[in-house]
């Protein structure tokens, strides 16, 4: 990797090593960094940082694309079934790649169950909708998921139960999930950044889950005085997740906690944590709530191109289904 970074004019072996140590392991990471971030690295001045970033951008071929080019890119989008046809319907087919999809709701609304089901469904060929003429044959070979668990809610036993309900080997599904337990926001952000290392090591990561997105930030940054710092960090984390979704054509799912709204007499009594930072960064936003018995209601209330709508589904021992 050091040899690759030395292709950037002005970057010798020692600077390349320092860049790698700081997490700047490829041209794209350097190209999207700020001058201030690079200048924090020992031995790199602001002037040198500006030149390194400019050269990295040239090597990345960053620039404008035509609407036609973007339409071609959209054809590479694939979709993963949630397990519920009703839920898939309001998503126009399923959970979309190159997107970050948020599921918010109170405790017991089904957020973590949907995450577990997505890991299982990823291993089912008939749960994936893709344009085979556009995507290469090895796009979905040995596909794997990453599960960043911040609340200790990942249960391998539940994965096996859901897999057996679909008639597939639960052990095989577990073998294809990388699980990381994050105890604080720094660990959570680091694990998201390390997904690229897994991909470069030859792992075909097609699904990234953060369950939950905001709990560590919420616990560490309490009070209005720390709100700006929390939101800035959360914004960086969301940017990393969006970048992974775009660059590697994978599905990114995040769950989110809710807080009571004290300023409303009409509309929902709860709102997702994270404010506008999460609101603007998430591509699709769902609000989940409990219905009668094992029924759950999912409301899609934010999407770039789909209308607001609701779906009713069930969560049973078999998993997520209609």
């Amino acid at each position: 990797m050091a040899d690759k970074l030395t292709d950037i004019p002005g970057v010798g072996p020692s600077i390349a090593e320092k860049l790698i140590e700081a997490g700047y392991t490829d041209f794209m990471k350097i190209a999207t960094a700020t001058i201030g971030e690079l200048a924090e690295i020992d031995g790199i001045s602001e002037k040198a940082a500006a030149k390194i970033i400019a050269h990295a951008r040239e090597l990345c071929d960053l620039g404008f694309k035509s609407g036609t080019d973007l339409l071609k890119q959209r054809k590479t989008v694939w979709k993963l079934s949630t397990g519920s046809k009703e839920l898939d319907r309001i998503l126009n087919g399923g959970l979309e790649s190159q997107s970050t999809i948020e599921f918010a709701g109170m405790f017991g609304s089904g957020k973590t169950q949907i995450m577990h089901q997505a890991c299982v469904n990823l291993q089912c060929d008939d749960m994936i909708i893709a344009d085979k003429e556009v995507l290469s044959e090895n796009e979905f070979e040995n596909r794997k998921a990453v599960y960043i668990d911040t609340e200790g809610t990942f249960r391998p036993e539940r994965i096996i139960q859901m897999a057996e309900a679909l008639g597939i080997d639960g052990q095989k599904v577990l073998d294809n999930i990388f699980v990381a337990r994050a105890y604080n926001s720094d660990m959570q952000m680091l694990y998201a950044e390390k997904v690229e290392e897994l991909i470069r090591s030859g792992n075909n990561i097609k699904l990234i889950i953060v369950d939950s997105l905001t709990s560590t930030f919420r616990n560490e940054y309490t009070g209005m005085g720390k709100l700006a710092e929390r939101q800035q960090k959360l914004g960086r984390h969301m940017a990393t997740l969006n970048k992974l979704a775009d660059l590697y054509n994978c599905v990114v799912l995040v769950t989110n906690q809710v807080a009571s709204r004290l300023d409303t007499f009409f509309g929902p009594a709860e709102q997702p944590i994270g404010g506008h930072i999460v609101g603007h960064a998430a591509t699709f936003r769902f609000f989940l709530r409990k219905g009668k018995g094992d029924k759950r209601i999912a409301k899609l209330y934010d999407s770039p191109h789909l209308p607001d709508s609701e779906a009713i589904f069930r969560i049973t021992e078999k998993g997520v289904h209609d």
Side-chain angles (χ1 to χ4, degrees):
M1 185 58 71
D3 289 338
K4 189 177 179 183
L5 291 191
T6 53
D7 289 344
I8 302 172
V11 175
S14 63
I15 293 295
E17 289 300 328
K18 288 177 180 177
L19 285 166
I20 291 166
E21 282 174 19
Y24 298 97
T25 51
D26 55 46
F27 297 152
M28 185 60 76
K29 279 196 171 182
I30 296 168
T32 54
T34 65
I35 293 170
E37 286 170 342
L38 238 56
E40 287 178 5
I41 300 169
D42 186 39
I44 300 179
S45 65
E46 285 195 4
K47 190 175 179 182
K51 286 182 179 177
I52 289 169
I53 290 168
H55 289 307
R57 286 175 179 173
E58 287 174 14
L59 290 166
C60 284
D61 192 28
L62 292 173
F64 292 102
K65 292 179 181 177
S66 72
T68 304
D69 289 336
L70 288 175
L71 183 61
K72 286 178 185 174
Q73 185 182 328
R74 287 288 301 164
K75 287 182 179 177
T76 64
V77 167
W78 59 276
K79 294 180 181 182
L80 176 66
S81 173
T82 60
S84 159
K85 288 179 181 176
E86 271 297 290
L87 198 45
D88 289 347
R89 178 185 59 79
I90 65 173
L91 274 165
N92 196 29
L95 303 162
E96 201 172 275
S97 70
Q98 299 175 33
S99 302
T100 297
I101 305 163
E102 176 204 28
F103 287 89
M106 294 184 72
F107 176 81
S109 59
K111 304 184 297 292
T112 295
Q113 298 299 310
I114 289 172
M115 302 301 110
H116 280 63
Q117 189 70 63
C119 290
V120 175
N121 290 358
L122 184 68
Q123 300 305 321
C124 300
D125 292 335
D126 57 357
M127 294 285 188
I128 290 172
I129 302 167
D131 189 337
K132 301 281 174 64
E133 291 181 8
V134 176
L135 294 168
S136 63
E137 289 181 10
N138 61 359
E139 180 81 22
F140 299 105
E141 225 172 70
N142 301 318
R143 49 194 181 266
K144 298 179 188 292
V146 168
Y147 200 116
I148 300 172
D149 180 6
T150 70
E151 296 183 303
T153 49
F154 180 81
R155 291 292 179 271
E157 301 90 342
R158 184 60 170 142
I159 293 288
I160 291 171
Q161 190 180 37
M162 287 176 163
E164 288 176 351
L166 289 174
I168 60 175
D169 184 357
Q171 191 60 54
K172 182 195 169 190
V173 176
L174 286 173
D175 287 342
N176 288 311
I177 307 172
F178 292 101
V179 184
R181 178 76 165 94
Y183 294 97
N184 56 56
S185 61
D186 287 332
M187 285 178 76
Q188 181 178 332
M189 293 174 75
L190 181 65
Y191 286 139
E193 288 164 9
K194 281 187 171 291
V195 172
E196 277 192 293
E197 289 180 23
L198 288 174
I199 294 169
R200 281 197 297 272
S201 298
N203 296 292
N204 187 18
I205 307 296
K206 302 311 291 181
L207 173 65
I208 300 164
I209 290 169
V210 183
D211 182 21
S212 94
L213 176 72
T214 53
S215 62
T216 58
F217 293 91
R218 194 180 188 183
N219 292 337
E220 292 166 38
Y221 297 91
T222 55
M224 290 301 292
K226 292 189 175 180
L227 183 61
E229 187 183 354
R230 183 190 84 175
Q231 292 301 88
Q232 189 178 35
K233 248 180 123 173
L234 191 53
R236 286 207 308 273
H237 186 42
M238 289 296 286
T240 299
L241 294 171
N242 279 325
K243 191 167 139 188
L244 289 167
D246 276 342
L247 291 183
Y248 301 107
N249 195 19
C250 56
V251 174
V252 174
L253 304 180
V254 300
T255 67
N256 198 358
Q257 297 182 342
V258 294
S260 296
R261 293 182 63 171
L262 304 175
D263 60 343
T264 182
F265 294 100
F266 303 101
E270 294 88 24
Q271 63 182 358
I273 303 296
H276 297 303
I277 293 288
V278 176
H280 290 304
T283 321
F284 299 91
R285 305 190 79 190
F286 279 94
F287 199 92
L288 301 176
R289 65 184 191 273
K290 290 180 83 168
K292 287 183 179 179
D294 56 20
K295 289 182 181 176
R296 300 292 186 275
I297 300 101
K299 179 176 175 60
L300 175 66
Y301 68 97
D302 190 15
S303 161
H305 62 287
L306 299 175
D308 290 6
S309 48
E310 284 191 356
I312 298 173
F313 62 98
R314 296 174 67 203
I315 297 175
T316 67
E317 283 186 5
K318 293 180 178 179
V320 176
H321 55 90
D322 289 307

